[in-house]
Amino acid sequence: MILSKPRNFINGFYRALKRANEIGLLLLIKKTFIAFKREGIVGMLLLIIKNATTFAKAVARHSNYDQWIDLHDSIKPADIANMKDIIAGWNAKPLISILMPTYNSSPIFLAAAIDSVINQIYLNWELCIADDASSNLEVVELLKRYQGYGNKIKIAFRQDNGHISAASNTALELATGDWIALLDHDDLLPQSALFWVVDAINKHNDIQIIYSDEDKVDESGKRFDPYFKPDWNKDFFYSQNYFCHLGIYRKSLIEEIGGFRIGYEGAQDYDLVLRCIEKINPQSIYHIPRVLYSWRSHEKSTAQNMTAKNYAVNAGERALNDHFKRVGIKGYVEIVSGGYRAHYDLPDKPPLVSLIIPTCNNHDLVRKCIESILGKTTYPNYEIILVDNNSDELESLKYFSKLASDGVIKLIEYQHPFNYSAINNFAVKQAHGEIVGLINNDIEVISPEWLSEMVSIVCQHGVGAVGAKLLYSDNRIQHAGVIVGLGGVAGHSHKYFERDAPGYFFRAKLISSFSAVTAACLLVRKFLYLQVDGLNEKDLKVAFNDVDFCLKLREIGYRNIWTPYAELYHHESASRGSEDSPEKVARFNGELNYMRRRWADTIQQDPAYSLNLTLDYEDFTYARQPRTLHFNNT
């Protein structure tokens, strides 16, 4: 008890530090010191005033998880009664075999983990424990006491210590259920965990794998740091094992792939999922958007310290590279901060990319854009198509003409009123590239490998559009993927975060699929662009045409991917007027209404986002009212 207050203080400090890092507060503090050194007290105060309110509000929104639990994740007696009524009406009540490998566990945490299974509302389960030759007699005696709990708790005492993969396989040998669930020896399941799992099984009879949201629990039992996850997102899964907890698998699938592999300890579940997805359709992977698992956080756990188990990170890298070889992906995976980075090989003959830049006048912006492309881009095979939309400034016309006569660009003219969709559609038809890139005239290249990175991804099987990491001129994030539904129709992930901020569980620094990416810098194969009829020039002349385009690609089965490894500045809207005239307001409202009609389902539930996260802000804070439905309406 004497140690509990310091420990709780340390845990609280860790949580606050992690959250501050996610939203970029630590980077702001660093920038404040730099401003003081360069510009003195005045410069420092101006920077603080500019950012303080934004960060204070973000921290406040990220600090109310206790309140969120009380409002949205507390089970009341009436809820339990309702769940039992629903269970009684189910056609399928499968036996769930829960695997738990143990080795010299904390007796207190182990007992709590076992009790969390015993307390499940859904009763058709068995707990299969494999003790991996624990030397702690207190652990052995504790397990023996639980062994007497009817025939629902099965325990195998291994004679030799074989590590977690071997112990998990021993637990698997005890299992007789049709479904396998994985539970670590010091973690916790809420009472409703198996209810929601079997509810999903009854509603979706074709699913093979299930996973849920999760949070962490400290040594005093306080829950914190919820991870509200996207639906199945293969590209993000290659970047991070976000699947993790609670994972449930059809036993037949586990048996087909041969169980857990020896030599991948620490990432044995990552390796397991990678081998499973090679055998099944992505539609058979189901995400339950509820916190059904609490991951124990203490100083030796991966939950609190990723460096506590470096071997686990290394094993994950090997598992990913093995998977790439098995499925024929040309490339490799390496460890980066927050997860992994997939490098994809370019084709032996890099395809021609047609970079399309619409403009009206603004030769200074266009000059910066084109010179940055020519001066920094290392990709060897591209053409630049400049689309002049009724320029009338003499200097701009001279500059464009000189670029064309020097052979630097291909200049074409679109002599009609401004219609962003129509301009790009017009240009794509004249592009010679196998790949087309839509580029705003206010884009400026930062990373020389930007185009090589984007081309390497867009050439992968099943990929539709690829977007880049775009920054404002002050190095804050402008675009890190588009979230559909944000702000009413669509908004940019992690907007206004600092350039190097990791974002929500490192999503601002890792490759991931999104429902859409911005056309300010977008690559897509030309045949796909034409297949979905390009941008909608009838209903979406200015706004949301890129979101609509990406959603059309998703509709025919393609993934849209955002990469943080292609960085560019986006001096946003520098060449466009404000939307303040009656005509522009009417046009924008029409485009807004079109999107709400055409994509109503996705606006309500973006699969690359979470029903438990806000649609009011770009910072992945908790939704004041989660969009997760309840009980038989799920």
Side-chain angles (χ1 to χ4, degrees), residues 98-114:
I98 302 168
L99 309 189
M100 180 191 287
T102 66
Y103 175 70
N104 285 342
S105 313
S106 157
I108 294 174
F109 294 161
L110 177 58
I114 295 173

Side-chain angles (χ1 to χ4, degrees), residues 128-152:
C128 304
I129 301 174
D131 183 74
D132 200 21
S134 289
S135 57
N136 186 337
L137 295 180
E138 192 177 354
V139 171
V140 174
E141 290 303 316
L142 175 70
L143 291 174
K144 287 180 178 179
R145 289 199 296 274
Y146 276 106
Q147 199 170 19
Y149 191 84
N151 60 356
K152 294 176 73 69

Side-chain angles (χ1 to χ4, degrees), residues 234-235 328-331 343-353 379 381 433-436 450-467 522-528 558-561 563:
K234 183 171 74 170
D235 303 287
I329 296 175
K330 294 182 178 180
H343 294 264
Y344 299 99
D345 293 350
L346 285 167
D348 293 335
K349 184 180 179 181
L352 177 65
V353 181
Y379 185 78
N381 193 17
E434 178 184 333
I435 297 168
V436 294
W450 73 281
L451 192 51
S452 299
E453 168 73 5
M454 295 178 75
V455 171
S456 73
I457 296 174
V458 84
C459 289
Q460 299 304 306
H461 177 72
V463 173
V466 176
L522 177 155
L523 255 61
V524 65
R525 285 170 287 178
K526 183 178 176 179
F527 87 89
L528 281 178
Y558 289 88
R559 313 188 316 275
N560 301 309
I561 300 177
T563 175

Side-chain angles (χ1 to χ4, degrees), residues 70 100 109 117 121 160 290 292 390 394 455 497 513 574 601:
D70 289 342
M100 180 191 287
F109 294 161
V117 176
I121 296 166
D160 300 307
R290 301 176 186 277
L292 302 186
N390 299 321
L394 184 59
V455 171
F497 276 50
S513 294
D601 290 344

Side-chain angles (χ1 to χ4, degrees), residues 4 11 35 41 55 87 104 140 177 236 261 272 289 302-303 392 407 430 448 472 477 542 546 561 613 615:
S4 63
N11 287 335
I41 189 69
F55 278 100
I87 291 170
N104 285 342
V140 174
F236 189 44
R261 284 207 294 175
L272 187 80
T302 311
D392 55 10
Q430 301 181 59
Y472 289 113
I477 294 173
V542 178
D546 47 3
I561 300 177
L613 294 173
L615 292 177

